[in-house]
């Protein structure tokens, strides 16, 4: 009887140790916020589409036709030291299309919660470069990219229409 009780107790302890809650939303993405030259938040009147290159070399749309946006989230790769994004702006009330390319350099590091959870990758943004056809500048606001979907990582400043 005592052997049986000890066995049952040990079984319960082992089961209890392996019941770890893995994050429900384990998406790691960057947030971009659009700003005026005075630093205030700005809504784009132009339509924004963002594409990137997949591992197989083909382009893929990762953000499609955002209208009246002041911020947007984009996924970040976990296996490349640099992400290349093409921001395409369809200018409102015209047939004009303007593209800018953005290069985001980063360091990837594994984030381990438990043996019961998949390993995810967090990132530290180390540099950003971009063309300046539509954009005036991009500023890194917070270089640490984790599960936190509320953190603004980049401020985008479009050229003014003055």
């Amino acid at each position: 009887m005592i052997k049986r009780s000890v066995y049952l107790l040990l079984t319960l302890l082992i089961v209890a140790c392996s019941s770890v809650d893995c994050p429900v939303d384990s998406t790691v993405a960057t947030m971009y916020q659009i700003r005026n030259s005075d630093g205030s938040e700005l809504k784009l009147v132009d339509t924004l589409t963002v594409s990137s290159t997949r591992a197989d070399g083909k382009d893929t749309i990762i953000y499609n036709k955002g209208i009246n946006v002041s911020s947007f989230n984009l996924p970040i790769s976990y296996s490349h030291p640099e992400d290349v994004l093409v921001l395409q702006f369809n200018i409102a009330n015209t047939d004009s299309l303007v593209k800018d390319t953005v290069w985001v350099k980063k360091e990837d590091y594994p984030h381990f919660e438990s043996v019961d959870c998949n390993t995810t990758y967090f990132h530290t943004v180390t540099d950003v470069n971009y063309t300046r056809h539509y954009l005036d500048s991009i500023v890194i606001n917070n270089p640490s990219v984790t599960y936190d979907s509320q953190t603004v990582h980049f401020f985008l400043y479009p050229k003014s229409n003055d």
Side-chain angles (χ1 to χ4, degrees):
M1 184 70 169
I2 293 179
K3 276 183 162 180
R4 192 173 182 182
S5 297
V6 171
Y7 177 76
L8 181 61
L9 179 64
L10 285 175
T11 303
L12 288 173
L13 286 174
I14 291 172
V15 170
C17 291
S18 67
S19 62
V20 173
D21 291 333
C22 297
V24 175
D25 183 11
S26 60
T27 302
V28 178
T30 52
M31 180 183 265
Y32 294 76
Q33 188 176 77
I34 301 152
R35 299 253 173 142
N36 278 315
S37 59
D38 66 3
S40 62
E41 198 169 319
L42 171 70
K43 276 195 177 187
L44 284 180
V45 294
D46 305 318
T47 304
L48 171 64
T49 298
V50 182
S51 61
S52 186
T53 305
R54 298 187 315 203
D56 64 5
K58 296 180 180 178
D59 288 345
T60 185
I61 293 174
I62 56 176
Y63 186 81
N64 195 21
K65 297 183 180 179
I67 302 172
N68 291 322
V69 296
S70 59
S71 64
F72 56 94
N73 289 312
L74 295 179
I76 190 165
S77 71
Y78 60 87
S79 62
H80 301 292
E82 182 176 66
D83 288 350
V84 180
L85 309 169
V86 177
L87 282 66
Q88 177 178 301
F89 300 90
N90 291 70
I91 308 304
N93 303 318
T94 71
D95 290 332
S96 298
L97 178 69
V98 180
K99 291 182 181 181
D100 273 308
T101 303
V102 178
W103 296 268
V104 177
K105 289 187 180 182
K106 62 192 176 51
E107 294 174 358
D108 309 322
Y109 57 95
H111 174 72
F112 181 75
E113 300 247 349
S114 161
V115 292
D116 295 332
C117 306
N118 290 332
T119 300
T120 57
Y121 283 85
F122 286 175
H123 314 276
T124 301
V125 176
T126 58
D127 196 18
V128 62
N129 293 297
Y130 46 90
T131 58
R132 291 175 173 86
H133 304 290
Y134 185 92
L135 297 172
D136 178 62
S137 60
I138 300 176
V139 174
I140 300 171
N141 178 55
N142 186 330
S144 178
V145 183
T146 64
Y147 295 141
D148 184 3
S149 63
Q150 302 303 312
T151 298
V152 177
H153 300 97
F154 298 97
F155 293 139
L156 270 63
Y157 295 91
K159 290 182 177 180
S160 64
N161 294 335
D162 305 334

